[in-house]
Amino acid sequence: EIQNLVMPLSSWKRICSRPYSVESRLSLLDYCKRYKMNMFVYGPKADPYHAGKWRGDYPSTLTDQQRYMGLITQDDLRSLAAKAKACNVDFVWSIHSALEGGGINFSNLDPGIEDIIHKFDALYKLGIRHFGVSIDDMNGHPYNQSELADKTQTKLYEKFNKTVYQRLVDLGHIA
């Protein structure tokens, strides 16, 4: 299957600075639908629950100041995931687990990967079905930074895809 992975540079760069408001993101999903873009990668480094405080859950409420700074709630994520689905756009929540403040330990990846899976599990419960691991802008450029993405992918497969696949086999839907 070929996917259209084009994203306007202006939108990408804007999201990397102070994040769009939820309303702007919802509008951007309409834009993606209109121009047949099928993927939206959410990963603003200004979002502490994506980067430095990634082990924490998104809050259920925010102050006006937090909202102004682009922070979002669990309900906002639900809305974004639902809107993306309605627009036939894969909403990909990408974690940046190696940035300062909450960085992963590269000398022993396994506990950090378990934390990532726990985070993805919490987001899955909010309606998000696509996940990514950002490995750019790491301090010190660890030699095994690509291993983080590889091991996380394997763990996700073991937890979700393998279980779903086996269930489909057991039900006779796959021979």
Side-chain angles (χ1 to χ4, degrees):
E1 173 184 342
I2 297 173
Q3 294 185 350
N4 179 0
L5 300 177
V6 177
M7 180 144 189
L9 184 58
S10 61
S11 297
W12 180 257
K13 285 300 178 191
R14 177 69 172 104
I15 293 171
C16 285
S17 61
R18 188 172 70 81
Y20 282 145
S21 67
V22 173
E23 295 75 20
S24 294
R25 290 180 180 131
L26 292 169
S27 177
L28 184 57
L29 289 167
D30 281 326
Y31 177 88
C32 290
K33 177 183 178 181
R34 184 170 47 254
Y35 292 100
K36 308 230 183 294
M37 296 178 191
N38 64 359
M39 183 180 291
F40 178 93
V41 179
Y42 177 86
K45 292 176 185 165
D47 178 346
Y49 300 98
H50 154 76
K53 296 180 181 178
W54 61 270
R55 286 179 175 91
D57 291 332
Y58 277 88
S60 50
T61 60
L62 294 171
T63 66
D64 289 340
Q65 178 64 22
Q66 289 171 318
R67 178 80 58 195
Y68 172 77
M69 295 305 296
L71 298 183
I72 61 175
T73 65
Q74 292 179 16
D75 284 339
D76 295 333
L77 282 169
R78 283 186 192 98
S79 295
L80 288 166
K83 176 70 170 189
K85 184 176 182 180
C87 292
N88 295 315
V89 174
D90 292 339
F91 181 86
V92 180
W93 190 92
S94 184
I95 194 164
H96 209 308
S97 57
L99 287 179
E100 64 282 339
I104 201 163
N105 178 357
F106 278 88
S107 60
N108 183 7
L109 289 174
D110 292 336
I113 291 172
E114 287 300 323
D115 290 344
I116 291 171
I117 298 301
H118 177 75
K119 178 72 170 202
F120 287 172
D121 234 357
L123 294 167
Y124 189 89
K125 291 174 184 166
L126 298 178
I128 297 169
R129 298 296 182 261
H130 307 279
F131 302 95
V133 178
S134 300
I135 58 171
D136 62 323
D137 296 336
M138 293 184 180
N139 291 338
H141 304 286
Y143 71 93
N144 61 343
Q145 65 188 29
S146 63
E147 191 177 343
L148 172 63
D150 291 341
K151 282 189 168 188
T152 303
Q153 169 95 17
T154 300
K155 193 61 122 174
L156 281 170
Y157 175 78
E158 289 171 359
K159 182 170 179 72
F160 296 106
N161 298 0
K162 191 174 180 182
T163 304
V164 170
Y165 181 82
Q166 188 58 51
R167 181 79 175 125
L168 290 171
V169 168
D170 293 345
L171 292 172
H173 296 294
I174 297 175

